[in-house]
């Protein structure tokens, strides 16, 4: 579904999508109309493309409402808007956007981004099918692979790692210089997964994510889980000083879980925190490089610093 209050733009956009092979497109001229269509839809929408600046209900507010719908917590939401200022980009991703495109229409870019959306949809369908195959055995969560993503929507600041990469792309080179990244590595993640299975492992990683979020008590943060016990925090550069004590603070928060994990006879996650990684022009040409640098630093600190072991 494409949502925009400009009927002329919608007509052009739908025509462009049709030329790319996306023929099953529903349109809405307002946020309320989009909500009505979502509620009335029998099969649901696989992707939503929203304008930001609309009367009565902005695209950002609409994104928040859609994300709160139980059937749309993981559905790709792409912002396609003329609003290119950083504050709009920040607000869009904080509201749950998966990607961010700026008008006018660039068919090459849209084709590329929607290609990634298709991959996300296929992965989601694969995961759903895997869980259905397990059936009513109650062990569907065990189908989670060690390197699979884990939904982070219940974590304050939680975001999908692909959305984090898209956020860096949307910022561009100069605005991204105001961003820093910090990696967190769970050194015994594989041990927890092998011994306890996917369900317990996923909950343990969410416990770590919760502690990371609690260590960063401000709204301007993004926390992504990359899989394999690896996390990345993306923060404003002015928060760099607060990140210097993140390792010790996280250690204290994790220690509070010790008794609970002992009672369950489950190993407590052992964490190491990397040094702050600045976003440079050499990073932003490939956002994954910045994320990987932060994770690599956390792994290196695992070897250098034994304070984070329990």
């Amino acid at each position: 579904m494409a949502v925009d209050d400009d009927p002329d733009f919608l007509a052009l956009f739908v025509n462009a999508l049709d030329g790319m092979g996306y023929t099953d497109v529903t349109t809405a001229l307002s946020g309320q109309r989009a909500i009505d269509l979502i509620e009335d839809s029998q099969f649901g929408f696989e992707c939503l493309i929203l304008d930001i600046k609309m009367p009565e209900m902005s695209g950002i507010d609409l994104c928040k409402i859609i994300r709160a719908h139980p059937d749309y917590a993981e559905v790709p939401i792409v912002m396609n808007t003329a609003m290119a200022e950083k504050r709009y980009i920040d607000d869009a991703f904080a509201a749950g956007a998966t990607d961010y495109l700026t008008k006018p229409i660039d068919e090459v870019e849209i084709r590329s981004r929607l290609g990634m959306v298709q991959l996300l949809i296929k992965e989601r369908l694969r995961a759903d099918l895997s869980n259905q195959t397990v059936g009513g055995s109650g062990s569907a969560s065990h189908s989670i692979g060690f390197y699979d993503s884990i939904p982070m929507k219940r974590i304050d600041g939680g975001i999908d790692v692909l959305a984090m990469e898209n956020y860096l792309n949307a910022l561009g080179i100069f605005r991204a210089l105001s961003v820093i990244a910090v990696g967190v590595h769970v050194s015994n993640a594989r041990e927890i997964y092998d011994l306890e299975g996917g369900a317990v492992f996923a909950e343990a990683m969410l416990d770590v994510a919760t502690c990371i979020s609690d260590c960063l008590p401000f709204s301007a943060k993004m926390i992504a889980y990359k899989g394999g016990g690896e996390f990345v925090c993306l923060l404003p550069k002015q928060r760099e000083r607060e990140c210097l004590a993140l390792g010790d603070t996280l250690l204290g928060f994790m220690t509070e879980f010790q008794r609970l994990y002992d009672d369950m006879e489950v190993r407590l996650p052992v964490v190491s925190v990397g040094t702050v990684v600045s976003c440079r022009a050499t990073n932003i040409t490939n956002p994954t490089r910045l994320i990987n640098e932060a994770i690599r630093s956390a792994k290196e600190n695992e070897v250098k610093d034994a304070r984070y072991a329990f």
Side-chain angles (χ1 to χ4, degrees):
M1 177 166 59
V3 185
D4 198 298
D5 64 315
D6 184 344
D8 294 331
F9 173 80
L10 266 183
L12 289 172
F13 189 52
V14 170
N15 184 63
L17 291 175
D18 184 76
M20 300 176 203
Y22 299 100
T23 56
D24 187 10
V25 180
T26 300
T27 61
L29 289 169
S30 69
Q32 186 57 57
R33 177 56 179 159
I35 293 171
D36 293 340
L37 288 169
I38 287 172
E39 294 295 342
D40 294 340
S41 175
Q42 183 178 358
F43 301 105
F45 298 97
E46 294 178 304
C47 176
L48 299 114
I49 304 173
L50 315 179
D51 183 30
I52 285 184
K53 197 171 183 180
M54 296 186 293
E56 298 181 7
M57 183 187 300
S58 72
I60 290 172
D61 289 336
L62 176 59
C63 184
K64 292 177 182 177
I65 293 172
I66 293 171
R67 279 290 180 237
H69 194 293
D71 294 333
Y72 286 84
E74 304 297 328
V75 170
I77 298 178
V78 180
M79 294 294 182
N80 186 30
T81 176
M83 312 307 293
E85 292 92 338
K86 184 177 183 296
R87 64 188 178 95
Y88 290 108
I89 298 173
D90 288 346
D91 289 346
F93 281 94
T98 309
D99 206 347
Y100 196 103
L101 299 173
T102 53
K103 298 176 182 176
I105 296 173
D106 184 329
E107 292 193 18
V108 174
E109 187 174 17
I110 292 174
R111 188 187 299 274
S112 173
R113 299 300 181 87
L114 290 185
M116 288 192 293
V117 166
Q118 281 188 305
L119 292 176
L120 282 176
I121 293 171
K122 288 179 181 178
E123 178 60 24
R124 186 168 173 238
L125 290 174
R126 182 200 65 78
D128 290 344
L129 180 60
S130 176
N131 288 340
Q132 291 171 11
T133 302
V134 175
S137 64
S139 59
S141 296
H142 287 269
S143 64
I144 295 174
F146 180 63
Y147 293 104
D148 285 353
S149 62
I150 297 172
M152 298 278 288
K153 296 297 184 294
R154 81 186 203 197
I155 307 300
D156 182 24
I159 188 173
D160 183 82
V161 70
L162 176 61
M164 180 179 283
E165 293 177 3
N166 291 338
Y167 170 75
L168 290 169
N169 270 326
L171 286 183
I173 293 176
F174 296 106
R175 286 179 298 192
L177 297 176
S178 64
V179 171
I180 57 173
V182 180
V184 177
H185 172 63
V186 181
S187 60
N188 62 338
R190 171 55 80 176
E191 182 182 11
I192 296 172
Y193 182 85
D194 290 343
L195 291 175
E196 311 299 342
V200 173
F201 175 76
E203 289 301 319
M205 294 306 101
L206 288 171
D207 285 343
V208 174
T210 299
C211 288
I212 295 171
S213 181
D214 289 345
C215 289
L216 304 169
F218 47 86
S219 58
K221 61 187 174 189
M222 293 183 179
I223 303 168
Y225 177 69
K226 194 172 185 291
E230 298 172 348
F231 297 83
V232 177
C233 309
L234 208 61
L235 310 162
K237 193 172 182 62
Q238 59 263 34
R239 296 288 185 176
E240 183 171 355
R241 178 172 295 182
E242 298 170 63
C243 294
L244 298 178
L246 179 59
D248 291 329
T249 307
L250 182 57
L251 173 66
F253 275 82
M254 290 300 303
T255 302
E256 295 180 8
F257 282 84
Q258 185 72 64
R259 180 173 295 179
L260 175 63
Y261 274 70
D262 288 344
D263 291 343
M264 296 188 301
E265 298 184 344
V266 175
R267 285 161 175 76
L268 187 72
V270 177
V271 297
S272 60
V273 178
T275 56
V276 172
V277 178
S278 298
C279 196
R280 305 180 302 276
T282 53
N283 297 126
I284 203 62
T285 55
N286 181 3
T288 304
R289 186 181 303 168
L290 174 66
I291 292 170
N292 287 343
E293 282 184 17
I295 292 172
R296 183 167 57 250
S297 175
K299 288 182 175 179
E300 290 172 354
N301 277 5
E302 172 195 348
V303 176
K304 294 177 182 177
D305 198 337
R307 288 178 300 163
Y308 306 124
F310 296 91

